[in-house]
Each structure stands twice: as structure tokens, then as C-alpha cells.
Amino acid sequence: MQKKAEITAVRQTSPVGKAVGTVLINLVLWVFSLSCIFPLVWMLYSSFKEKRVFNADIIGLPKVWDPVNYVKILSNKDYHLWQSMWNSLRTTGLSIIMIVLFSFIVGYILARIRFKLNRPLYVMFLMGMLIPIHSLLVPIYVVFKNVNLLDKWYTLLFPYVSFGLPMGIFLTEGYVKGIPVALEEAASIDGAAFSRTLWTIIFPLCRPILVTIAIIQIFGCWNEFSFALVLMNDVNLQTVPLALTQFKGQFASDYPKQMAAMLITMAPIVIMYFAFNGQIIKGMVAGAVKG
Amino acid sequence: MKKVISLVLALAVLAMSAVAFASTPVAATELEYKGDLVLMHFSTSEESEGNGGSDGFRTTIAAWKEAHPDINLTENVLANAEYKTQVATLAAADNLPDVFLLQGMNTIAWANQGLVMDMTDIISASPYYADYNTAYFTPFTTPDGKIYGLPVLTGGTCTIVIYDKAMWAEKGYDAFPSTWAEVEEAAEKFSADGIDTIAFGNGGQWQLNSDFVSTLGNRYTGPEWFASLIANTGAKFTDEAFVKCLTETQRLFKDTKIFNADFNAVTNEDAREYFISGDAAAFIGGNWDWSYITAVLKESNEEKYNNMGIAVLPQPADADKYPNSQNIGLGYAMAINPKVAEDPAKLAAAIDLCYELTGPAFSSYVAENYALGGLTNAGDVDLSKFDQQTQDFYNWSYVDTDTCEIYDSYLDSAIWSVLNTEMQAMLNGEIDPETVAADTQAKYDEIYNS
Amino acid sequence: MLDSIRPKKSTIYLYLLIPVALFIFTVFMPLVAALFYSFFEWKSGPVKTFNGITNYKLLFADTTFWASFGHNLYLVLACIIGQIGIAFVLVLFANSRLAKCQTIHRTFGFFPSTISAVCIGMIWTMIYHNKYGILNWFIINVLGRPDLAQVWLNDSAHVMLYVSIPLIWQYIGYYMVIMFSAIAGIDKSIFESAEIDGANGFQTAIHITLPLIRNTMLVCLTLCIAGNMKAFDNIYTMTRGGPGTASMVMAMYGYKVSFEQTNLGYGSTISVAIFVLSLAVIGGSQALVKRATRGLEA
């Protein structure tokens, strides 16, 4: 009770400063947030424009809201939207599960367990983040070709999981280091086995960071282009971003149509993101540990 | 509710139109092959909207599939930029598909590597050989005379001046000036009104090469110079004539008021919008830009459409060759992976596919529907059913002008990469033409003379 | 590190087996392959000619490559300050009691990093556009200074700045998300006692929040350096490295050499160099951070 009173006292010391602060802080936040959401809004209304209208005026609202772009996309079987959507869903879903699981295991072990290969492994995963994918496409293709891993439904899991791991591992490692060791010590005194401690005590504690990793990686996997382009030649296995290139011409791009296509394909994850936003944020915050 | 109904109706109409698309008759040659054949190309359905070559290509493929139901022709279709990346990767790993589109500038390198089949005999055995426009074969011919592909899609110019007759008449010009000196004079008048004289977009770095220098160079050097570069018989990028061409190019862009200020930052797609909207009195680009501009203006501004004129690039004061020339050609050819030959029946099928996609079925389709020409002569094209603009374009492209080569259909792509990158900086005045020429020549020597 | 937990070695290695094997195969095999190819003259196709260290000699003398490396360093610095710095400030703002609608800011901020680079590039090309761009419109009509309006992306001297701004903006939200979750892990009572002690927002941020999420901030730093040493997409859509090579970065140069110039041997050499240089930069930065924060830890 006394604590609360003291806090109130502190807060009341400078009402003018507080008012200025409130305005400033909210203004900055709103400017930033609106700039962030603008691309989505812009894509949304631009996708209802016709190509020529868009080219003549890229920023204005459409005078006629014409769904023709959506009609064209959904009705053309060459775009094989559903097949590619399914491919993307499967690849992304499996990749995320594996990234989160592996990041947790490796991240925890690197943070907590003393063994000879600890630092070498850490450095190795660090190196993984430094691979310049775009200039390495040919060697990647050759390696995958030599082990006959091209054009399989699971081909893309390899790069997506592997290149998603370093970030996940580092975030988990950093996070676990911030958790007090008391809990695990208590468990080990109780005689709980390593695996049980890992899954029943640590895993729930790490939920905020694991949710964060999942969210960042979902979009990364869903949008990934270079690997999908090089490793998948079979049209039936193409993921969404690759199928999207069907909307590009050699000398002319129909931007509104591309945007419509982008929105259609982004829709599943964006809707999911907004729909579960509450839970996601709760998940990110829920794990606060008392120190 | 109304919206929903119209949407459903539109979907239904589209679905029906997809079934009832136009077709073209292919020769139904007996083929004993039954099985898979993989074709990789970049004529996406997006591309084929408004692009006669792509439309004809896709239509002919559909007809061929129908004529050969026992062959499972798998198409791997990507947009052009992605196609180039993927095909380069496949070539590097020696894993090219059965049939694909070969770019002129890759011919020699890939032929040396054994990645493409020598088609010299196949071409002379073609049932349509008599009707081929053999000039189109040169980019796909190696110095020893072997031909590695059947040129495909439609031949179109890469350097065309499109202008608004009314705007120029207002400034006292009955037709587009034939010299740059006159254009400079006109630029003074146009800029007084806040209008760009000519819109150009070099944001992708390739445009200045394909749509400008490739033709302007011919005015200084003549075709012998470039032929000598291809054959590596002495011509150099550092030759005085070519350096003069670069110097003039730099002067026109850097020191005159002719072009839009952002020519280096916008693409040709942006620049042609300047012309369409009237912010620029003329535009320089390729045949694809002509298709786009005509399609837009026909629908949105009929008066401007009727006022559209086309012209060749003006002649510089210090150039004395071929003032009426423009660069035209076919940039890609149907090529076959040599591995296909292991199965003679399959090879026969692949060859038949190449013949048909470049043969009369294709040519007559694009001639009748778009007034365009391809490898095979489609006979006398009846132009009377096309409007004046289309007829003018056909005559300008195939009849009334001298032709020259498109630079980047030939030579190693690395050379053009150097030239294009440095020319962009040159237009800003950051490098001088001599250095650009010297660096390009150095790359040339590294590749062909080391 | 925890000493009371000492699981059997075999348990640990069993847990690590699959992720490590997967990682080595996918990530290092291509790199080893590139290292191998970097000693060959290879112009696509099956024919390769061993040429020793010629490619490396070429690389050392290649001014375009070293200029690109300089541009990458510029990006790294700009993005550490821009992305991580701004993200940290915004996170503090959004977590502040004075902020309204915190959920909205958390949700929206992450958005740009989810949109493909092509689209982001288009949006910014439009902002910078000479004739129709928002920036020039603002300068001319609001500031009334038409003399300041220019063709932004054709300004060789400053183009790196203009291409870093979109990159910074796009990834602020990405780091915000990471920092939010790190701060969420801090016990709230720490902040309360700080407030009672009379610490202002700035002091709390520097002396309490920052040290407590130090590990996460280090990860952000590493991610930021790694990401910008191999930057590619945004710049490719906006300028293709131009004008000339004024905004060329290493990965784009490697891509151009490999695909535009089909010089795969030299392209592999560049890839190897990018990797080694990035490693050096990260190593250097970590040593620097360790030295700088030694006092803090004590």
C-alpha cells in the first residue's frame, strides 16, 4: 500500500512535464505505427485499381473499386494458387515447428550445459548467419543435386530450418541466460531427470521467446524466394512467392495485379497474426520470471 | 450483393473464355515418342497479355500438345528475370531441361561447354527452311558456322522513337527531327513549357545499351565494326568511332535539356508514363514499349493515339553512317539439351516442337493477330484489317528502315555488365567515356584474348 | 553456466545430433563447395579449369568489391544506430505508462518486416520519385524550397543514405518484437523500486533496462551486423547498385558476377570473401562490446 502511495507521489511531481511527455510519446508512436501500416493499406486500395489508372496516379484512392484483379487471379488455373498455397503452408508449418523445437533444445544446452563443444558449436551457428545466400545459389544447387534432394516436397525444409536456426538459438540462449538457475537446481535436487526438467520446467518458461521466434520465422519462411527459385523446378511444388512471379512480365509489370496476388497470398498469415494477436502478445509477456 | 453477382459472372465469363481461346494449326507430324518432355520458358500468361510473341508462343504450345496427346509436355514457366537466374543455375550444374530458350549472348559459352545441341543439320532439314529469315540465326551461330538454336518469339526493334505529332507541330516541327542538333533546339522550346523533350528510363542499367547505344553506335561505326568484335578480328571498344558514340551519348544526357532529369533512376516503364501523360513530348524505348503505349492510348486517349508518330533515332552531327538504322532481332532461340539425343524418338519429338514453335503456325498467328513477324516468313501479311498505327509500325520495323544488331544478343554477358554499369555513372559525369571504353575492352580481352 | 545439472554426455549429444547434422549439411556444404570452386575458372557448365589463387588475386585488386565492402560497413553502422537504437527508444515509449494503445503499436510495428522486399522497394521508390514522389512534393509544396528537390536515387554521393533509410524503417519492428519479449522477462518490481528511488525514464533505461536485457541486445547486434553484411533485396529493387556502383553491396556484386556475368568461379570467391569479412566484423564488434561493457559487468 505504501509503495503505491509513493509511486503516485512521484508521478504527481511534474504534471506539465507529464502532459508534454504523454503527447510526445504518443505522437512518435503513432507516426511510426501509421507509417508501418501504410504499405498494407496502400496495397489494399491499389489492388482495386486498374493497371493504367495505377500507373497514372500511384498514390490516389481508386475512383472505381474494381475487383477485376482478384477475379483474374482466382479464375486463372495457370496461377495454381491453391496448390502453391498448400505447398507454402506445409513447408512453413513444418519449418516453424522444427525451428522452434531445435532452437529451444540447442539454445538451452548452449546456455546452461558445460561441455567441450559448447563454444565451437556456438561459433558454428553464428557462422550460419553470415552465409551470403544470393551469391551462393549455384553451390547450393549443386550440393542438393548431388545428394538427389531437388524437387522433393521436403526439400525446402532443409534450408528454411537451417537458416532459421541461428537466430532462434541465439535468442533462446540469451533468454535462458536471463532466467535464474534456482528453478533447475531445485528440480535437480528433487532428482528430476534432465529431459523432464527441460520439457516440464524450462519449456514453459521460454514461451515468450519461442513465440517471438515463431512469429519472426513464419513470415521469413512464407516470403522466402531464392531457395524456392533455385531448388524447386517442379511447378507443382512451387511455393507462393514463386507462383507470384507469374504476375510479372518481361518488360511490363502489372503492379495492382501483383499487389492483389500478394494480398491473397499474405492473407492466411496476416489474418492469423491479427486474429491471434492477443494470445501472441500474451504469450510473449506471460513468461516473466520473478528473480 | 450486386458486387458478388458481378464477380461470379465475371468469373464465369473468364472461365469460358479460357476454354475458347484462339488456336493455330500445327503440322500433326507422326511422332513415335510417348512420355515426358520438359520445356522451360518465360511466356507467363501475364506476359502474353498484350505481347503478341508470348501469346503466339503459348497458343502454339497448346496446339502442339493437342496434336500429340501421347507426349506429356511439362512446361516450367517463370517470369523472365527468374528464368534467367534459374537457367543459369541449371546450366552451371549441367542439368538443363530437354528444351529451353537460349539467349544469344550465352551461345558461344554454352556451346563450348557442350550444354546445347548443334542444330545446324536439324535446321537445314527443317520443312520450313525455305521460309526462314536466316539473318536471325547470327546470334546463335558460333565462329565456326554451327547454329545452336531456332530463333523464337517475334522480331522487334529495341530502339524506336515514339512522339506526339501535335506537340511537335506546335513547336514548328512537321515530323520528328532527323538530327540531334534539331532536337536540342526543340528542347529549349519544350523546357520553357516545363515539358521534357524525350523521356528515357535507364534505371535497370540495360536500357541505355539496348535502346540507345546499340543503334547510335552503328551510326558511328557501321556494322563491320561490331561484326569484327563478334568474330574477334581486331575491332575494339576503345576504337575512336565507338568512343565518339559514348562521348555523344554522355553529352546528350548530361549537358542538354533533352531528357527527363531522373533518366537514371526510373525504368522504361516509368518513363513511358511521362509520354502517355503528356509530361514528355517523345519517348525512346523498344517494341514492347510501343505495344504498351498504343494499348493504353487507344483506350484512354484516342486523339493522342492518332497523333502518335514513330521515328528512328536522330543522327549525331559527327556521325556519318546509316542514319536510317534501328536495331532489330530475335534475342532467344529454341535450344535442345544434347542429352536428349540418347533417345532418338524423344529427340525427334523435341525437334518437332522446335520446328512448330518457330514455324508457320506461330508466324501466321502473330502476323494475323498482331502484325508481327518471327523467324518464318508468314507470306504476305494482309495489313488492311489493322489500323494505321499498326500498319505504320509493321512497315517501319520490317520494311522501311535499315537494320543493325542488338549488341547484347552477342558476346559474353560479363562485357555488357561492365559497360552498362559504367555507362550509368558516365551519364552522371562520374567517369569519362574513354575509361568506360577501356574497362569494357579490358573485360573483352580477359574473356576472348587471354 | 550451471554446474549442478550434469546430464549424461550421450543425452546431450543425442539432443544435438539432428539439428547440428542438418545445419552442417545445409549451411556448410555449399560454403565448402564455394571454397573449392573459388580456385577454378568456371564460366557455367561442366567445364572447370583449376587456376590456383588467381581469383583471390583478382579480388584483392577489385576496387568495386572493396567499395561494396565499404558500403556494407556503412549499412551496418547506420542500421545499428537506426534499427536497434530507434527500436529500443520506441520499445521504452510503448512500455511507458504514458503510452496509449500499446497493443496497436506492438502489432503494427512488426508489419513492414513481413512484407516482401519487392513491395517495400516499390513503396520507397515511389516516395523518392522525382516527379510523383511524396518527398519532393513535401519539399516543394510544404517547405517551399524547390531548389532542394532532386532525383534522390541518382545522387551517387548520398545514395547509400537514401537506401539505408527504408532498410532501417523496415526492420525497426523486428527488433522491437525481440526487445519486447526480453523486457517482458524482467521482474516488474525492479522498475517500481527504481521509480520510488526517483530515477527518471532515461536513467531507468540506461542503468536498469539495458543491463538486464544485455544478452538480448547483443543478439540483436549480431543479427543486425550479419543481416547487413549480406544485404541484398531492398537495394536490388531500388537501385540495382546504381548509379554505376554507388550503392553496390557485396552480396549484390556476387550475384551480378555469378549470374549477369556468369563467372561462377569468381562469384564463389566473392561469397567466400563475404563470409570471411563478415566473420571478422562480427568478431571485432564482439571484442569491442566486451571491452566496453567490462566495467558494467563488474
Side-chain angles (χ1 to χ4, degrees), chain A residues 207-208 211 276-288, chain C residues 103 106 184:
Chain A
R207 214 171 80 187
V211 172
F276 293 103
N277 189 38
Q279 273 107 313
I280 290 168
I281 288 182
K282 223 186 271 167
M284 286 164 134
V285 185
Chain C
T103 321
R106 281 161 193 261

Side-chain angles (χ1 to χ4, degrees), chain B residues 395-418:
Chain B
N395 287 324
W396 185 90
S397 298
Y398 303 117
V399 186
D400 298 338
T401 49
D402 301 329
T403 61
C404 59
E405 300 296 351
I406 303 163
Y407 281 175
D408 60 9
S409 287
Y410 303 84
L411 300 182
D412 195 289
S413 50
I415 295 164
W416 304 122
S417 179
V418 171

Side-chain angles (χ1 to χ4, degrees), chain A residues 50-52 55-56 65 67-68 70-72 74-76 78-79 137-138 141-142 145 150 225 228-235 238 242 245-255 257, chain B residues 3 7 10-11 14-15 42 44-47 49 51 58 75-86 88-90 92-95 206 268-269 272-273 288-289 292 295-296 299 332:
Chain A
E50 218 244 326
K51 172 165 81 176
R52 284 148 202 170
N55 286 344
W65 291 73
V68 64
Y70 291 91
V71 174
K72 275 189 188 161
L74 295 172
S75 63
N76 190 332
D78 277 354
Y79 296 156
L137 289 175
V138 171
Y141 179 85
V142 173
K145 182 194 161 207
L150 293 170
F225 185 79
L229 169 65
V230 170
L231 299 180
M232 304 300 245
N233 298 335
D234 186 338
V235 177
Q238 281 182 345
L242 211 59
T245 65
Q246 302 292 323
F247 299 90
K248 272 172 63 185
Q250 185 182 0
F251 298 111
S253 303
D254 187 340
Y255 290 124
K257 202 199 272 177
Chain B
K3 275 252 162 75
L7 197 104
L11 274 167
L14 267 162
F42 53 84
T44 61
S45 53
E46 181 71 32
E47 182 89 34
E49 280 179 29
N51 178 333
R58 289 176 68 92
E75 291 174 73
N76 185 356
V77 195
L78 287 166
N80 185 271
E82 285 72 30
Y83 174 85
K84 284 189 200 159
T85 305
Q86 201 180 59
T89 311
L90 296 175
D94 193 14
N95 205 16
W206 56 267
N268 56 308
E269 296 176 13
R272 66 195 181 196
E273 295 297 337
W288 50 89
D289 297 307
Y292 177 83
V296 173
E299 203 169 284
Y332 287 87

Side-chain angles (χ1 to χ4, degrees), chain C residues 93-289:
Chain C
F93 279 12
N95 273 336
S96 140
R97 216 186 334 298
L98 303 177
K100 308 274 187 295
C101 312
Q102 296 174 338
T103 321
I104 291 182
H105 300 312
R106 281 161 193 261
T107 316
F108 283 11
F110 184 56
F111 225 84
S113 58
T114 67
I115 298 175
S116 72
V118 179
C119 196
I120 299 281
M122 265 172 60
I123 290 165
W124 281 85
T125 309
M126 193 179 83
I127 290 173
Y128 285 132
H129 197 284
N130 181 46
K131 289 197 179 175
Y132 314 131
I134 298 167
L135 192 58
N136 276 349
W137 176 85
F138 183 82
I139 289 174
I140 293 169
N141 296 316
V142 181
L143 300 181
R145 296 285 302 276
D147 51 313
L148 292 179
Q150 57 157 312
V151 186
W152 299 96
L153 294 177
N154 193 31
D155 176 356
S156 301
H158 302 108
V159 69
M160 278 310 294
L161 174 68
Y162 304 141
V163 296
S164 348
I165 292 172
L167 206 63
I168 291 173
W169 166 79
Q170 190 185 0
Y171 283 99
I172 288 176
Y174 179 91
Y175 293 102
M176 280 174 74
V177 171
I178 296 176
M179 290 177 201
F180 271 131
S181 64
I183 290 179
I186 302 176
D187 188 348
K188 295 289 168 293
S189 61
I190 297 179
F191 294 116
E192 284 168 12
S193 26
E195 206 165 347
I196 293 164
D197 294 341
N200 64 28
F202 180 73
Q203 288 165 328
T204 318
I206 298 296
H207 297 293
I208 299 179
T209 315
L210 205 52
L212 280 172
I213 60 167
R214 181 174 169 272
N215 283 322
T216 305
M217 292 303 273
L218 278 179
V219 174
C220 288
L221 190 71
T222 314
L223 289 174
C224 186
I225 296 175
N228 286 304
M229 289 303 283
K230 52 178 196 191
F232 180 87
D233 298 305
N234 289 47
I235 302 179
Y236 191 73
T237 355
M238 275 191 289
T239 66
R240 305 210 149 218
T245 55
S247 60
M248 184 77 85
V249 285
M250 292 190 292
M252 199 193 303
Y253 188 54
Y255 180 83
K256 269 197 157 184
V257 167
S258 299
F259 290 101
E260 249 182 61
Q261 310 192 5
T262 53
N263 191 346
L264 296 164
Y266 190 46
S268 300
T269 313
I270 293 173
S271 308
V272 173
I274 297 174
F275 177 75
V276 173
L277 290 171
S278 311
L279 206 60
V281 171
I282 291 219
S285 72
Q286 294 209 331
L288 219 66
V289 169

